[in-house]
Amino acid sequence: MALIIDGVAVAKKLRQSLAAQVAAEKLSPGLSVVLVGEDPASQVYVRNKSRAAEEVGIVSDTHRLPSDTTQEELLALVDQLNKDKKIHGILVQLPLPKHIDAQTIIAAIDPEKDVDGFHPINAGRLSLGLPSLVPCTPQGCMILLGEALSDLSGKRALVLGRSNIVGKPVAQLLLQANCTVTLAHSRTKDLPEECRRADILIAAIGKPEFVQGDWVKEGAVVIDVGINRIDDPATAGKTKLVGDVAFAATEKRAAAITPVPGGVGPMTIACLLKNTVESARKSAAG
Ligand code: GUN
């Protein structure tokens, strides 16, 4: 049976370490979260982010804007937050309403305050192997991998999903850790065979229980980024959360696997706080 990597415990340890750093260094980190519209999942994320920030000693404020907010209004808010010396991290929750161009908004955020690591400057620096603010979910994946593997060097890593938020940046981080990286996606030929070659499998495609147990190599380490809500056949009318990996079958073959919920999810928020503390530290150093 596989080691179940406890993301809740690892995230808690990281938050405690961040709280200790904030106190010891007398930092006053400020995080601004911007939420446009009423997407229910986004509302939950934003609430969780604010609560976790306060626990660590980060002052967080949330700007809730109506769904008919114009791109110009949102750009004006970003500009105001860029200029605010008390704010070290700006996060604009995605997805944005269709009439707003997300890339335009992301590019308007001061790269030094881009705690999502989505700005072209940060994405470019990451791809060049230069210091940058690194996207939160990929950072969380790497920390959880470290719980199961002390050295990633030479391992075959398969990343399933090519999003800018997870797939592409996590592929860069795995490459920096000296893995041999394959970035697979919906057009990849013979995906099960690609998966079976992988010592490390990162699933980030947003399809419930898509990766089958017999696609997974014996002894592989599996990081499941998916958070999918499906009808629960065990309890009529109720729903449950599942990942992108068929957990029960995979657990029998893998050396280690992250659960859903309780795996990557809590790490994303902890890494957002880590980026905010790092940004505040850099700002304090001048
Ligand atoms: N929506 C889903 N994940 C994320 C994330 O990591 N950052 C932002 N800003 N929006 C998201």
Side-chain angles (χ1 to χ4, degrees), residues 91-94 116 118 165:
L91 180 145
V92 179
Q93 184 67 32
L94 304 177
D116 262 327
F118 294 164
I165 295 182

